[in-house]
Amino acid sequence: MLHTLLLSRQVSRRARSLSSHLHNNELTTKLLRDTGATIPVFCGPMYPGSNPELIAEVSRCGGMGIVQPLALTHLYGHDFREGLRMIKQLSNDKPFGVNFTIMPQNKKYQKMMDEWMHISCEEGVKFFLTSLGKPNDIVKYAHNHDIKVQCNVHTPILYVISLYTIPI
């Protein structure tokens, strides 16, 4: 734990020194405004890497920690709502996001994802990240609840397609 804290402080100092150069970029400025982060550092959702302490520490240092719900609940054994509250407490109420992997063919996972999305909203999460699949339902829900969404795509053509298929 001490090693993680020392490393996060070192990363935070380096990121802050670089952030003044990066803040001149219009997209970076918009991303920081949309996420509530103060430095352009993201801790992406990783299974099994996104433990609540890491997510909270990145957010506490000014970056954007993004939790992966399956890692939080199944790997680390937290109730989803309690896990979000723990991250909020450890981060000193700094913003963090939740990742939603879209797998419509898996009905059990889809039901859990829908529940996690509602709980995230109830707990005040203001940033969603989507991966895989078509995110239309998540985007619509998020926009109706003043939550910002970033949709990850893995090819340029999917990015272009998403511009025309995601309702804004």
Side-chain angles (χ1 to χ4, degrees), residues 114-168:
D114 289 343
E115 290 174 19
W116 292 331
M117 187 170 54
H118 288 89
I119 292 169
S120 297
C121 181
E122 291 167 6
E123 292 300 320
V125 173
K126 291 295 184 185
F127 184 76
F128 290 169
L129 175 70
T130 68
S131 51
L132 303 176
K134 193 173 178 181
N136 291 29
D137 293 339
I138 295 171
V139 171
K140 184 177 179 181
Y141 178 86
H143 283 207
N144 288 337
H145 293 88
D146 197 31
I147 298 169
K148 299 294 182 179
V149 181
Q150 178 182 334
C151 304
N152 280 356
V153 294
H154 59 277
T155 64
I157 190 66
L158 288 177
Y159 169 73
V160 172
I161 291 169
S162 73
L163 293 176
Y164 296 100
T165 60
I166 299 172
I168 302 296

